[in-house]
């Protein structure tokens, strides 16, 4: 988290830290997941193990959520991936969907990957996009209490797993101290990308 917050972090360092944190958040989000006993055949005989009884689906919110996806896949290699593209309207701070491609969510645990939960608007929209899933957890890097409250008002059973909860938003709806625009810093675009 400290590497992600560091304004001097260039995109390669930022991406590496985001990937590592994505793995840690995925592990934390699935730590208490129920499992069932399964049997496989080894070269020398049967062996029992445990696996989740339901599919796990990662749904990054484009484009910033892609920064966590590789880490989630590292931690949960059998995860299925869907995508939700949202664009934030700067004047109203609301999110508009421009893309949605999801696998079957019947019985699935969905991990919505949304690194920055400022007002909770984009994450709330993403949670609504996967409403048919029986279990939804939002993975974030930095959140505000306001965003978490908004998410739970949209879906009371939603879980939020985050690395930090910051106290404030600025006039533009950015988290303070936060870490800047996650997508810009991840891909080296815009102000605060670490390239200038």
């Amino acid at each position: 988290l400290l590497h992600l917050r560091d304004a001097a972090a260039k995109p390669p360092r930022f991406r590496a830290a985001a990937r590592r944190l994505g793995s840690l958040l995925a592990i934390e989000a699935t730590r208490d997941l129920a499992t069932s006993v399964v049997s496989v055949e080894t070269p020398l005989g049967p062996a029992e193990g445990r696996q989740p009884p339901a599919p796990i689906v990662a749904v990054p919110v484009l484009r910033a959520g892609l920064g966590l996806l590789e880490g989630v896949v590292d931690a949960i290699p059998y995860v299925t991936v869907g995508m939700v593209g949202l664009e934030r309207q700067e004047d109203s701070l609301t999110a508009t969907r421009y893309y949605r491609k999801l696998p079957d969510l019947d019985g699935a645990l969905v991990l919505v990957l949304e690194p920055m939960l400022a007002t909770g608007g984009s994450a709330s929209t993403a949670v609504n996009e996967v409403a048919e899933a029986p279990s939804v957890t939002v993975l974030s890097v930095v959140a505000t209490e306001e965003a978490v409250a908004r998410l739970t008002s949209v879906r009371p059973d939603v879980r939020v797993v985050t690395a930090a909860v910051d106290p404030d938003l600025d006039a533009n709806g950015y988290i303070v101290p936060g870490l800047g625009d996650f997508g810009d810093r991840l891909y080296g675009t815009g102000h605060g990308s670490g390239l200038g």
Side-chain angles (χ1 to χ4, degrees):
L1 179 59
L2 189 63
H3 290 292
L4 292 171
R5 288 193 192 267
D6 185 355
K10 303 288 188 217
R13 181 176 168 213
F14 192 90
R15 285 191 288 267
R19 181 177 182 156
R20 284 192 307 273
L21 190 54
S23 288
L24 295 171
L25 291 169
I27 291 167
E28 184 62 30
T30 58
R31 177 181 310 279
D32 298 325
L33 192 62
T35 59
S36 58
V37 176
V38 296
S39 181
V40 296
E41 197 65 35
T42 77
L44 301 174
E48 286 190 348
R50 301 192 73 78
Q51 71 180 22
I56 298 176
V57 178
V59 179
V61 177
L62 300 178
R63 79 187 159 144
L66 292 174
L68 300 177
L69 181 60
E70 286 186 40
V72 170
V73 172
D74 288 344
I76 310 168
Y78 54 85
V79 69
T80 305
V81 178
M83 305 254 174
V84 172
L86 300 175
E87 183 173 26
R88 184 171 96 152
Q89 307 304 314
E90 296 304 322
D91 55 339
S92 63
L93 301 180
T94 59
T96 304
R97 179 184 59 149
Y98 65 86
Y99 183 78
R100 180 181 192 258
K101 182 73 173 179
L102 299 171
D104 182 10
L105 300 180
D106 186 39
L109 163 62
V110 173
L111 303 175
V112 173
L113 314 182
E114 176 65 309
M116 305 300 288
L117 300 180
T119 65
S122 294
S124 294
T125 301
V127 166
N128 283 333
E129 292 291 328
V130 297
E132 66 268 31
S135 179
V136 177
T137 298
V138 177
L139 305 187
S140 88
V141 174
V142 181
T144 64
E145 288 183 17
E146 173 185 338
V148 173
R150 184 171 182 179
L151 279 168
T152 56
S153 74
V154 168
R155 182 168 176 159
D157 66 336
V158 73
R159 287 182 60 219
V160 177
V161 177
T162 186
V165 177
D166 282 359
D168 295 313
L169 292 175
D170 69 10
N172 297 314
Y174 285 100
I175 301 170
V176 177
L179 51 79
D181 186 296
F182 196 92
D184 284 347
R185 297 200 55 211
L186 188 67
Y187 297 111
T189 57
H191 286 303
S193 65
L195 292 179

